[in-house]
Amino acid sequence: MLDLKGFVGRHRGALSGIGMILAVVLIFWTVNNPALVGASASSRQLPVYSVQRDEKVVALSFDAAWGNEDTQTLIDILNKYQINATFFVVGDWVDKYPESVKALADNGNEVMNHSSTHAHFSQLSSEEIVADITACNEKIAAVTGVTPTLFRCPYGEYDDHVISSVTSMGMTAVQWDVDSLDWKGISAQEIQGRVLDKVQPGSIVLFHNAADNTPEALPGIIESLIADGYKIVPISQILLSGKTMIDNTGRQCPVK
């Protein structure tokens, strides 16, 4: 008959080591199991980074917060290819350049909300967030006649209470899954390479209206996307209708 007590006593060190190894393996499996990670992350409030689309469709977006050097040039480029984009504008920018805001809308582009003053929203209360977004909505609507339905967080910063505040207004918070990094002053060739390497069906691409080399990079990007079979649309046309959910990567997906 096996002397279990004696066996454990003689092999206590080895068993302890095995136990530690099994504990480490269990922790590693738990942390890296996609189902468990997804279940944990699903409780977070996320903006839309991209959209699950089977067809080749992509949305180009531009943030306008400070300068206005290239806005008309960007409009002209978009018009040349008969496409439209989404421009997220700051309320202060609307005050400075109402003629550009009107030109964007008159040429068929979406003018959406990028906050009133480009504040750090995670430092604001829900009431302050709603008031800030409302102020920007009113400025845009006064110029374009259309109240925005989409919002992009200043600096791309957000937490649960920021997204919940946006959603409570009946608006959709939108990020991006392809960052051109044009704001860094990189070359037109580098901007093109970043976008075309990363874009996929349902992507939302981020540009800025006053970046140094975006006007030079944009035609090549548009031509390459069209040649590859992509349809370029404003963000509101790439978002899904009906019942949807946002997965733990920020991808908007249909609920079947």
Side-chain angles (χ1 to χ4, degrees):
M1 184 174 181
L2 175 64
D3 181 1
L4 183 59
K5 183 175 181 181
F7 178 85
V8 171
R10 290 192 301 272
H11 298 85
R12 187 182 303 277
L15 291 172
S16 176
I18 293 171
M20 290 180 65
I21 292 172
L22 290 174
V24 170
V25 170
L26 179 61
I27 292 170
F28 180 85
W29 178 83
T30 301
V31 170
N32 290 277
N33 186 287
L36 294 178
V37 172
S40 173
S42 65
S43 63
R44 292 182 59 205
Q45 300 292 311
L46 295 174
V48 176
Y49 281 78
S50 64
V51 182
Q52 180 181 316
R53 297 294 293 263
D54 295 328
E55 68 273 28
K56 284 189 169 182
V57 60
V58 61
L60 307 183
S61 67
F62 298 80
D63 287 359
W66 292 285
N68 192 36
E69 298 86 349
D70 301 321
T71 306
Q72 187 57 53
T73 302
L74 296 174
I75 292 173
D76 294 340
I77 293 171
L78 295 170
N79 285 347
K80 175 183 176 181
Y81 295 98
Q82 299 183 322
I83 61 174
N84 292 117
T86 302
F87 287 76
F88 289 94
V89 303
V90 171
D92 287 348
W93 194 84
V94 178
D95 291 337
K96 291 180 180 178
Y97 310 109
E99 71 288 346
S100 291
V101 175
K102 189 174 188 305
L104 287 169
D106 287 350
N107 283 275
N109 299 289
E110 292 184 334
V111 181
M112 295 296 176
N113 194 315
H114 193 33
S115 82
S116 188
T117 62
H118 211 269
H120 292 275
F121 268 39
S122 59
Q123 299 174 12
L124 303 180
S125 68
S126 294
E127 293 75 17
E128 290 171 326
I129 290 171
V130 170
D132 183 289
I133 295 173
T134 299
C136 185
N137 275 351
E138 291 174 349
K139 291 179 179 181
I140 293 171
V143 175
T144 67
V146 179
T147 300
T149 57
L150 306 179
F151 174 76
R152 176 166 284 165
C153 298
Y155 309 102
E157 297 174 356
Y158 65 88
D159 57 20
D160 284 359
H161 99 284
V162 172
I163 303 304
S164 294
S165 299
V166 175
T167 303
S168 74
M169 301 178 68
M171 299 180 69
T172 302
V174 177
Q175 293 279 93
W176 58 87
D177 66 322
V178 180
D179 188 348
S180 69
L181 293 183
D182 57 353
W183 59 273
K184 285 190 171 184
I186 61 178
S187 69
Q189 184 176 2
E190 289 175 293
I191 293 171
Q192 287 187 31
R194 281 191 58 81
V195 172
L196 297 176
D197 285 347
K198 296 178 180 297
V199 74
Q200 59 182 324
S203 280
I204 298 171
V205 186
L206 170 65
F207 298 101
H208 295 79
N209 75 308
D212 290 342
N213 299 309
T214 301
E216 182 184 350
L218 192 58
I221 291 172
I222 293 172
E223 290 173 8
S224 295
L225 288 173
I226 293 173
D228 196 26
Y230 276 92
K231 181 180 181 181
I232 302 171
V233 299
I235 291 176
S236 67
Q237 295 181 29
I238 204 173
L239 295 177
L240 300 173
S241 58
K243 195 169 183 181
T244 64
M245 57 86 68
I246 299 176
D247 70 14
N248 63 311
T249 69
R251 192 168 184 83
Q252 186 191 49
C253 308
V255 174
K256 300 178 180 179

